[in-house]
Amino acid sequence: MRIGLLTEGGYPYATGEARLWCDRLVRGLPQHEFELYALSRSAEQERTRVPLPEHVTRVRTAPLWAPADDGRAYSRRERRRFADCFRDLVHGICAGEAPAFEAGLYGLAGLAREQGGLYAALRSESAVRAVESACRAPGAGRTVQAAQVPDLLEFVDELERVLRPLSLDWYEEPGHLGAVDICHAAAGGVAALPGLLAKRFFGVPLLVTEYGVQLRAHYLDQSQEARPAVRALLAAFHIRLAGEIYAQADLLTPGNAHARRWQERCGAPRDRLRTVYPGMEADRFATVGEAVDCGDPETLVWVGRIEPAKDLIALLHAFAEVRKAAPRTRLRIFATAVAPGYLADCRSLAAQLFPDEAADAVTVGENPVSFEEIGGPEAPSPAEAYGAGRVVVLSSVIEGFPITLAEAMFCGRATVSTDVGAVREVIGGTGLVVPPRNPRALADACLSLLRDPERAQRLGAAARARALELFTVEQNVAAFQEIYLRLLARGSARPDGEIPFARPPEARVPGHWTSPTWAAAPAETQTSEAAV
């Protein structure tokens, strides 16, 4: 089976989203051929790729960051065709009309397929005027109607970038994307655009996996300093694109119920949704998870990227309450990545809340809060970081699928988490969950586990058992193997009209007894034929 794996800003590059699970999926299914179609986000990202296995037979890449001017100038007739399609597209964006958006999107794709790239046309004055006209038309939102010339220019520039997959040469040449058995988009949004075209023009089944909903990510990534009209226009585009992807995909595989709710809200049909949890390498955490020692009983551990969404400020205030009731408790913060400004704020607050403590007048003081990095001398691996304490804390105010929480579960650690994203679904009753932005509740939950080591140990053991059942690489690979076979059987037809796997393999064995008349033959005839 040939699988066209579509990525944007991830695999096969060494950095980016979905890199790890894509690599594990590809390596876990060596019986299939994989062709990679990757969109990159920066020149720096393109410098480093991960080693690929032998059954990855083809790699095509395209940048979303570099200019894509191919020097193609349309004729008057082609410009008129572009204007009609682009008018439908932007009208669908501004007025929220899905049919117009669909007609415009596939019309532009057809034009690019027949006549060449859209770069010059999308950046033309006529394109800017079409957007302005759509913004002023009845049905457009108030914020969009207020768009000024700088807003229109910025939006057209961004629209050209995200529509760049329409102009790629991935679809027509020998061995093209339209010849694969299944298109598997590793994310929604721009990553799924080539899959939409392969389905539209060649009938290739489309599978879309979202462990983090791209529409939600777009909302979270938007800068508050951006111009309101530009934010509104881009949000409207991504809403319409998500709706079209969900409507056309043969199957959607959200990574958790939180992502599934987003997809359903955007119009994804329930009968085409199947939750597939991300696969993680349990062996990395086996030593810590199976150890008799459950870590320092007076240490709380936090692991993750130090950034505002993780709300370490609330965690530090909660730890101040913990220290009042349990003065010997320590908090060890392990960073996997850092937002420098936020780290400085957290260090400053920790210094204010917890002055360095010393046992006597000659001993050097020590702060009960430590900021460390994964890979340091005391925690060279994530497993050893989680193993440093008996209780692992997650304090986020924004979260999708909490990877660090699942890793803590593999390590057999009791957890205290805020109720955001898919946290409650991942925990499943094996840890304590509190409201976000509530330091008092966070402190009380931590104290309850610190004061009851047996309960913490029981919860840690239950958490590890749950993680081994639901979140391993093996379950993830097995799920997609089944999905690939089902999609191929349901969506692909041979030239003679026969559906693959519609009949059992033994029915294909040559012989007169396999003919349709065999079942209707008299019993004595069947017996005599068998005797022969």
Side-chain angles (χ1 to χ4, degrees):
M1 189 186 307
R2 293 172 59 191
I3 310 298
L5 188 60
L6 315 175
T7 67
E8 188 242 334
Y11 194 68
Y13 304 114
T15 59
E17 297 91 341
R19 175 182 61 84
L20 286 176
W21 84 259
C22 283
D23 190 55
R24 293 164 183 165
L25 174 68
V26 171
R27 294 183 183 278
L29 294 173
Q31 66 271 38
H32 300 308
E33 293 183 8
F34 281 86
E35 299 180 7
L36 300 185
Y37 296 84
L39 301 169
S40 65
R41 293 178 180 170
S42 67
E44 181 180 357
Q45 184 182 52
E46 288 194 353
R47 293 191 184 102
T48 309
R49 294 188 186 182
V50 299
L52 299 175
E54 293 182 356
H55 60 284
V56 176
T57 59
R58 185 182 182 88
V59 179
R60 297 297 307 275
T61 63
L64 293 181
W65 49 273
D69 191 358
D70 56 3
R72 178 71 169 85
Y74 286 164
S75 65
R76 179 179 299 178
R77 181 177 181 181
E78 291 164 354
R79 290 197 300 270
R80 188 180 303 114
R81 179 180 172 187
F82 168 82
D84 292 340
C85 296
F86 191 73
R87 189 182 306 111
D88 287 339
L89 180 78
V90 294
H91 180 72
I93 293 172
C94 296
E97 295 185 4
F101 178 86
E102 178 184 349
L105 181 68
Y106 295 121
L108 291 176
L111 177 62
R113 181 185 173 195
E114 297 169 14
Q115 306 297 337
L118 300 169
Y119 181 87
L122 285 170
R123 290 177 175 268
S124 64
E125 181 181 353
S126 62
V128 177
R129 291 186 179 278
V131 175
E132 181 181 23
S133 177
C135 290
R136 307 288 189 262
R142 182 179 302 176
T143 304
V144 170
Q145 289 181 350
Q148 302 299 315
V149 172
D151 303 319
L152 302 176
L153 292 173
E154 184 177 347
F155 172 67
V156 167
D157 182 70
E158 180 65 16
L159 190 62
E160 184 279 323
R161 188 186 70 82
V162 296
L163 291 180
R164 199 167 292 175
L166 303 186
S167 304
L168 297 177
D169 60 351
W170 291 354
Y171 312 103
E172 297 295 342
E173 62 182 35
H176 54 80
L177 185 59
V180 301
D181 295 312
I182 294 171
C183 281
H184 185 177
V190 180
L193 259 179
L196 276 181
L197 302 189
K199 180 176 176 62
R200 177 80 173 191
F201 296 130
F202 305 102
V204 180
L206 175 60
L207 168 65
V208 179
T209 297
E210 284 193 303
Y211 288 129
V213 178
Q214 290 300 302
L215 179 59
R216 174 179 178 270
H218 169 76
Y219 286 142
L220 296 176
D221 289 343
Q222 282 197 2
S223 171
Q224 295 302 316
E225 299 176 358
R227 303 173 70 93
V230 177
R231 291 205 309 268
L233 285 167
L234 288 175
F237 168 78
H238 284 283
I239 289 172
R240 295 271 65 84
L241 179 59
E244 179 63 14
I245 291 169
Y246 296 157
Q248 298 301 326
D250 293 86
L251 188 67
L252 295 159
T253 52
N256 51 74
H258 177 67
R260 183 174 182 138
R261 287 193 294 270
W262 270 84
Q263 293 175 339
E264 289 183 356
R265 187 72 179 268
C266 293
R270 289 192 175 186
D271 61 345
R272 280 186 265 160
L273 287 167
R274 174 178 171 181
T275 301
V276 178
Y277 293 116
M280 304 173 65
E281 295 177 338
D283 292 345
R284 297 169 55 206
F285 309 100
T287 302
V288 174
E290 296 173 359
V292 177
D293 178 25
C294 293
D296 185 352
E298 296 180 333
T299 296
L300 300 175
V301 172
W302 183 95
V303 179
R305 176 180 172 85
I306 297 180
E307 60 183 2
K310 304 303 181 181
D311 202 9
L312 285 177
I313 300 299
L315 175 61
L316 292 171
H317 283 290
F319 184 63
E321 298 297 322
V322 171
R323 288 277 295 181
K324 292 177 183 178
R328 295 172 58 87
T329 308
R330 293 187 60 204
L331 172 62
R332 298 183 67 179
I333 296 174
F334 294 94
T336 57
V338 170
Y342 189 70
L343 174 61
D345 293 342
C346 293
R347 287 185 180 275
S348 177
L349 179 61
Q352 294 175 24
L353 292 175
F354 314 102
D356 290 348
E357 301 173 353
D360 50 53
V362 297
T363 305
V364 177
E366 182 181 357
N367 197 296
V369 178
S370 63
F371 292 86
E372 308 169 51
E373 292 185 4
I374 299 292
E378 297 188 20
S381 70
E384 290 170 308
Y386 292 114
R390 182 161 296 177
V391 178
V392 175
V393 186
L394 182 143
S395 54
S396 303
V397 292
I398 298 173
E399 199 70 63
F401 184 92
I403 297 293
T404 57
L405 198 58
E407 291 177 344
M409 295 168 67
F410 276 116
C411 291
R413 292 304 183 258
T415 57
V416 176
S417 314
T418 48
D419 190 7
V420 293
V423 164
R424 192 177 291 273
E425 179 184 3
V426 170
I427 289 296
T430 66
L432 304 186
V433 179
V434 301
R437 295 192 178 93
N438 191 330
R440 167 59 68 182
L442 196 62
D444 290 344
C446 290
L447 284 170
S448 68
L449 294 182
L450 291 171
R451 291 168 174 167
D452 192 346
E454 293 183 0
R455 183 189 183 196
Q457 188 171 1
R458 289 195 306 271
L459 288 175
R464 176 167 169 78
R466 178 175 175 81
L468 290 172
E469 179 184 0
L470 298 178
F471 308 131
T472 62
V473 173
E474 291 76 15
Q475 67 82 24
N476 182 268
V477 169
F480 280 113
Q481 166 69 355
E482 179 192 355
I483 287 170
Y484 288 163
L485 293 175
R486 286 184 177 274
L487 283 179
L488 185 62
R490 186 176 63 189
S492 299
R494 301 181 187 273
D496 58 3
E498 182 181 357
I499 303 297
F501 315 117
R503 292 192 295 161
E506 58 269 20
R508 302 181 186 277
V509 178
H512 61 273
W513 59 273
T514 61
S515 64
T517 58
W518 176 79
E524 59 273 13
T525 304
Q526 297 178 19
T527 304
S528 60
E529 289 177 350
V532 175

